[in-house]
Amino acid sequence: MLRMEIKSILLVEDDHDLRMIMQSELEDLLGVRVVVAEDGAVAYRKARNRNFSLIITDFKMPKVTGGQLIASLRENEMNDETPIIIYSGFIEEAKKNIEGMYKGLTFVEKPCPIEELVQIIKDSFEKKTTKPKKKADAGFLNIFIDSSIFTLKNLCGCSSVEHTDVSKFVEEIPNIKVAANLNVSSQFFTGVLTLSFPESTYLKILSNIDEQKVSEIEDDNMDFA
């Protein structure tokens, strides 16, 4: 059976009521998963190791502005090609500051009828480009595996970790629940290394770290990966 990919949106909005309304409406109307953040700092923490289908962000926000967030995202390989919608009541100021500086930006003035915003989002989904895949030296990846095993055994309370050396590369993506991504740029490999966990394993590791039973994966503890 083929798994249907569920698109994910990161919604960055400092107004709590608007944030909750938009999250609910976009999930209902688009059938997507909407992850929310109340400011640019929280948004970057959620996006630095996770690839989103689309990012919607306000422009004027506390701590980290929309412009600063976009600059940081475009320097991180996880979302450097992700379409971004700047949804703001200060849209002219946003255009003046960042229009033309980054690709994949769409400017939408707030407020906007939800039907129009939904159509803009659908159009933006089509703008994401796919980078060519790169192959890596298997010996180099084994160094990453050894480091991961050391961490799992010594810091995560895993008494036994079974593994095999990397001998071939596969294109198929495994059916996973949680994944941690590491951006690497070196003479051996340039790309993203991913360490994935089945749900039961991830919950067990979280329980070991917290020294109490963790029974559910939530947005707050997904970042632990």
Side-chain angles (χ1 to χ4, degrees):
M1 178 182 295
L2 294 176
R3 290 185 299 135
M4 181 178 295
E5 179 186 1
I6 298 178
K7 293 184 182 296
S8 60
I9 294 176
L10 175 61
L11 172 63
V12 193
E13 171 58 58
D14 59 347
D15 184 297
H16 176 271
D17 292 341
L18 178 58
R19 185 169 67 246
M20 295 298 98
I21 291 172
M22 289 183 65
Q23 180 185 31
S24 177
E25 289 184 333
L26 293 179
E27 287 185 338
D28 289 343
L29 295 173
L30 288 166
V32 299
R33 175 176 174 80
V34 178
V35 177
V36 297
E38 62 268 28
D39 59 54
V42 174
Y44 183 70
R45 287 200 299 271
K46 293 188 175 185
R48 64 186 176 185
N49 289 313
R50 180 176 177 180
N51 177 252
F52 286 93
S53 306
L54 176 74
I55 296 172
I56 304 174
T57 180
D58 200 351
F59 186 71
K60 280 197 171 183
M61 296 184 294
K63 297 182 181 179
V64 176
T65 68
Q68 293 169 327
L69 172 62
I70 292 169
S72 298
L73 292 173
R74 288 309 192 229
E75 292 178 357
N76 186 317
E77 193 171 48
M78 290 305 299
N79 289 285
D80 60 347
E81 297 284 342
T82 301
I84 298 176
I85 294 176
I86 298 90
Y87 184 53
S88 173
F90 301 89
I91 207 67
E92 293 305 319
E93 182 178 343
K95 288 182 178 180
K96 181 179 179 181
N97 280 271
I98 61 174
E99 189 173 26
M101 294 178 62
Y102 310 99
K103 58 185 177 180
L105 302 186
T106 302
F107 296 84
V108 180
E109 187 165 12
K110 184 193 294 182
C112 174
I114 189 63
E115 295 80 6
E116 292 184 19
L117 184 59
V118 165
Q119 186 56 54
I120 292 170
I121 290 172
K122 289 180 178 179
D123 294 341
S124 296
F125 280 146
E126 306 302 321
K127 295 180 180 179
K128 189 169 185 177
T129 59
T130 302
K131 295 181 178 180
K133 295 180 180 179
K134 297 180 179 179
K135 300 278 185 172
D137 178 81
F140 172 72
L141 294 185
N142 285 329
I143 298 174
F144 170 71
I145 292 173
D146 291 341
S147 299
S148 300
I149 291 171
F150 178 87
T151 300
L152 289 169
K153 285 184 175 180
N154 294 278
L155 301 179
C156 298
C158 299
S159 58
S160 176
V161 180
E162 297 181 0
H163 73 288
T164 58
D165 289 343
V166 176
S167 59
K168 65 179 180 178
F169 299 92
V170 295
E171 300 296 334
E172 182 181 356
I173 300 175
N175 185 10
I176 59 176
K177 188 69 176 181
V178 179
N181 298 293
L182 175 66
N183 295 316
V184 177
S185 179
S186 73
Q187 61 177 318
F188 303 104
F189 175 72
T190 298
V192 180
L193 300 176
T194 299
L195 180 66
S196 60
F197 302 89
E199 182 173 8
S200 58
T201 301
Y202 188 70
L203 291 174
K204 176 62 176 176
I205 292 173
L206 282 177
S207 299
N208 289 346
I209 296 297
D210 291 344
E211 297 184 345
Q212 59 182 352
K213 184 173 178 60
V214 180
S215 58
E216 186 177 0
I217 296 177
E218 301 173 339
D219 285 341
D220 289 341
N221 62 35
M222 283 183 69
D223 289 343
F224 176 77

